[in-house]
Amino acid sequence: KKLLDALSGPVQSILETGERDSWASIRRLYRRETEHIILTFSDSLSEYELDQTTSVEMVLELREHARCTVVKKAREEAGNILIRMKGRFSTVLSHDKDLMPRTWIANEDIHAITREARLAALRLMSVMAAVRLDDKPDKIDRALMVSLLDGGPLCWKRSIEFTSDPLASTTWQEVSPQDTLITPVQCKSIWRQFKAETEYPVAQAILMQEAHRRSNNSLPPAWTILVLAILGFNESMFLLRNPVYILGLFLAFVLSYAVWLQYDIWAYFRHGTVSGLITISSSLLPTIMDIVTAIINMSHRKKHSLHRSRRALPYHAQSLSNQSHQHAEVHYHASPDTPSSVDSSSGSDS
C-alpha cells in the first residue's frame, strides 16, 4: 500500500510531462521510494525472527512489486497515448512559451509552430514506447524522428544509422519484449491517426491568419494604385468634367446595394455559381421593374399635385376679387350719407 501510494501518482505525473529525462526522474523516484520502504519492511521483519532466506525472498518480492507498480502505471499511460499526444499538440500549437493563447497574426510562422507541436507529441510517444528502469541506452527517440517527422534534420541520416525502416518491426533494438509498451509498428499506425486528427486545427490557424492578413491589407499594393492612377487618368478627368455621370454611378451603387441587402445575394451562391445566377436572374428583373414603377408613380403623383396647385391658384384669386367687389357694393348701398337718400326724403316732405 505504501509503495502504491508513493509510486503510482508521481509516475503518472512524470509520464504526462513527456520530457527527455522522464525515465531518469522515474528511476530516481523508484529507487528512492523502494529503498526507503524496503528498509522499513526489513526492520519490521526482524521482530518475527525469520530465517535469512525467507526475509530475502520477501524483500525481493516487495522490490518486484515496486517494479510491477511502475510498469502497470506506464502501460496505462501508453494505452492513452493518442489522447496524450493530441493534448500535447493542441497545447503547443495554441499557446506560446508563456502559455498564453496565440493570436494568429501575419508574422506567426504556422509551419514552424506545427512542426514544434508535432515534435513535442513525438517525444511523448518516445517516452511511452518502452519501460526504461534499467538505465540502458536505446534508439527509440532517434528512430521515431527519422521515420515519422517529415522533413526533419535527421532524415538524411536514415541510410547511415538504419539499414531499413526502423519501424517495420515488432520490437525495439536494445529493448526487451517485456519492457516494450508500444511496438514500432503500432507507433507508425498511431502517428498516422494522430496526423489525420490534428490537420483541422492547423487548417483553422491558416484560415485565421489569412483572414487577419486580409483585414489588415484592405488597400491594394502601392504599385497597383500607381498603375490605376496612370491608366485611369483620362476616365477620371471625364467624370470630373461630367458630374451627371458621377450622380448616375452613385444612384446605381445605391440601387445595387439596396438589392444586395434586401435579397441576400451572397446566400444564392452558396449552392453553386450557376444556381446563384439563375436565381438572381429570375428575381432581379421583377425587383427592378417594381422599383422603376414605384419611381414613375412617385413622379406622376408629384406632377399631378403640382398641376392641381397651379389650377387652384387663379380660382382662389378670382373668388377673392369677387368677394371684395361684393363687399364694396354692400358698403355703398348701406351708407346713410348718400345724396339719393337725402333727395328722396326731402321730396316726400314737400
Side-chain angles (χ1 to χ4, degrees):
K1 180 67 167 59
K2 288 183 178 181
L3 275 175
L4 184 63
D5 294 339
L7 296 177
S8 181
V11 168
Q12 179 180 355
S13 178
I14 294 172
L15 289 175
E16 287 177 353
T17 60
E19 300 295 336
R20 291 180 177 271
D21 59 344
S22 294
W23 279 107
S25 301
I26 292 175
R27 284 194 297 268
R28 290 193 296 269
L29 173 70
Y30 163 74
R31 292 166 183 170
R32 183 180 67 249
E33 296 298 333
T34 302
E35 295 300 329
H36 174 70
I37 292 179
I38 285 178
L39 182 59
T40 305
F41 181 66
S42 300
D43 293 340
S44 301
L45 286 180
S46 62
E47 300 177 0
Y48 295 93
E49 298 181 356
L50 298 175
D51 58 283
Q52 188 68 21
T53 304
T54 304
S55 298
V56 171
E57 290 178 356
M58 295 181 71
V59 168
L60 292 176
E61 221 175 283
L62 187 60
R63 192 182 296 275
E64 183 64 23
H65 180 72
R67 182 183 180 89
C68 291
T69 300
V70 175
V71 173
K72 181 180 178 181
K73 181 55 63 175
R75 289 190 183 278
E76 290 177 1
E77 293 300 313
N80 299 323
I81 182 59
L82 183 59
I83 299 175
R84 302 293 187 193
M85 289 172 64
K86 290 192 294 184
R88 178 60 55 83
F89 177 85
S90 178
T91 301
V92 178
L93 182 69
S94 58
H95 296 81
D96 56 14
K97 295 180 180 180
D98 298 327
L99 296 181
M100 297 296 295
R102 293 186 190 274
T103 55
W104 297 108
I105 56 180
N107 58 355
E108 291 284 356
D109 190 353
I110 296 181
H111 179 74
I113 295 173
T114 303
R115 178 177 172 79
E116 182 182 355
R118 288 177 177 173
L119 180 60
L122 193 63
R123 285 175 177 168
L124 183 61
M125 184 166 62
S126 173
V127 171
M128 299 286 190
V131 176
R132 301 175 178 89
L133 287 178
D134 298 330
D135 198 10
K136 294 180 180 179
D138 57 71
K139 298 180 180 180
I140 295 178
D141 186 71
R142 185 63 62 87
L144 290 176
M145 289 189 180
V146 169
S147 300
L148 301 180
L149 198 61
D150 298 336
L154 301 176
C155 290
W156 63 275
K157 297 182 180 180
R158 180 192 297 272
S159 60
I160 300 176
E161 295 188 43
F162 306 101
T163 57
S164 60
D165 186 1
L167 301 185
S169 175
T170 57
T171 58
W172 297 104
Q173 296 180 5
E174 303 175 355
V175 177
S176 61
Q178 60 268 20
D179 290 337
T180 300
L181 302 177
I182 307 174
T183 63
V185 176
Q186 291 174 342
C187 286
K188 182 180 289 188
S189 176
I190 292 171
W191 183 257
R192 188 181 303 114
Q193 185 178 357
F194 164 77
K195 288 188 66 176
E197 295 182 7
T198 54
E199 287 180 354
Y200 179 75
V202 177
Q204 288 296 108
I206 294 174
L207 291 177
M208 291 175 62
Q209 190 179 60
E210 290 295 329
H212 185 273
R213 185 180 290 113
R214 286 195 299 268
S215 64
N216 290 338
N217 295 332
S218 57
L219 294 177
W223 65 270
T224 307
I225 298 176
L226 181 61
V227 170
L228 290 176
I230 295 174
L231 298 180
F233 179 76
N234 296 331
E235 288 77 7
S236 301
M237 296 303 298
F238 176 78
L239 290 177
L240 291 176
R241 293 191 183 99
N242 300 274
V244 178
Y245 288 99
I246 299 178
L247 180 60
L249 291 175
F250 177 73
L251 294 177
F253 170 75
V254 172
L255 179 63
S256 303
Y257 188 69
V259 172
W260 182 280
L261 293 181
Q262 183 177 0
Y263 290 93
D264 194 10
I265 302 299
W266 180 253
Y268 295 151
F269 291 95
R270 294 175 182 173
H271 303 289
T273 305
V274 178
S275 61
L277 292 176
I278 294 174
T279 307
I280 291 173
S281 61
S282 62
S283 59
L284 187 60
L285 184 60
T287 302
I288 295 177
M289 294 300 297
D290 293 340
I291 295 174
V292 173
T293 303
I295 294 174
I296 293 174
N297 292 334
M298 289 176 60
S299 63
H300 280 313
R301 285 196 298 268
K302 187 175 180 181
K303 290 181 180 179
H304 185 64
S305 61
L306 183 62
H307 182 67
R308 289 182 60 184
S309 64
R310 289 179 179 177
R311 291 181 59 187
L313 182 61
Y315 176 77
H316 179 70
Q318 183 179 0
S319 62
L320 183 62
S321 174
N322 293 334
Q323 289 178 2
S324 62
H325 181 68
Q326 292 176 2
H327 181 71
E329 290 181 353
V330 170
H331 179 72
Y332 176 77
H333 290 291
S335 177
D337 297 331
T338 56
S340 61
S341 61
V342 173
D343 293 341
S344 62
S345 61
S346 62
S348 61
D349 292 339
S350 63

